[in-house]
Amino acid sequence: MNRVAFLFTQAPHGSSAGREGLDAVLATGALSEDIGLFFIGDGVLQLNCDQQPEQILARNYIATFGVLALYDIDQCFVCADSLLARGQSLAAERVLAAEVLDAASLREKLAAYHRVIRF
């Protein structure tokens, strides 16, 4: 079976990429057991706990990351370099348990997947 990686690269608000990515993860999770989630660039902002999308009249889908455990999706990685570049703490609480890796280690993990889908 193919290993599928979902690469989140965009901020949570301003486009529907994050929500669409999460929908794709959930749909794929029903069919595949080997899924990895990777958060790099502005995608690391998807995992912030204290988002208030209603303030900008956006739909709150961020809490949906919490249901990934029901689909046995637990391979989640976040780029330490991207977090630091955006003033984020490496040890901050996130909406999803994710392993914080430096860019080189994250690329190494990503290379182990057969398919990469970017959002």
Side-chain angles (χ1 to χ4, degrees), residues 35-91:
I35 295 175
L37 275 58
F38 294 81
F39 298 86
I40 64 168
D42 286 342
V44 299
L45 301 174
Q46 297 277 349
L47 301 177
N48 287 350
C49 283
D50 298 324
Q51 295 183 42
Q52 297 176 350
E54 59 279 351
Q55 297 294 319
I56 58 169
L57 304 176
R59 184 175 152 211
N60 188 2
Y61 66 90
I62 301 300
T64 308
F65 278 110
V67 304
L68 294 177
L70 298 174
Y71 289 81
D72 293 326
I73 299 171
D74 55 4
Q75 296 295 310
C76 302
F77 309 97
V78 62
C79 179
D81 300 344
S82 297
L83 286 170
L84 293 174
R86 286 152 185 81
Q88 304 290 306
S89 168
L90 298 179

Side-chain angles (χ1 to χ4, degrees), residues 4-20:
V4 181
F6 289 87
L7 185 61
F8 289 85
T9 63
Q10 295 187 31
H13 309 296
S15 80
S16 62
R19 185 179 67 246
E20 290 171 359

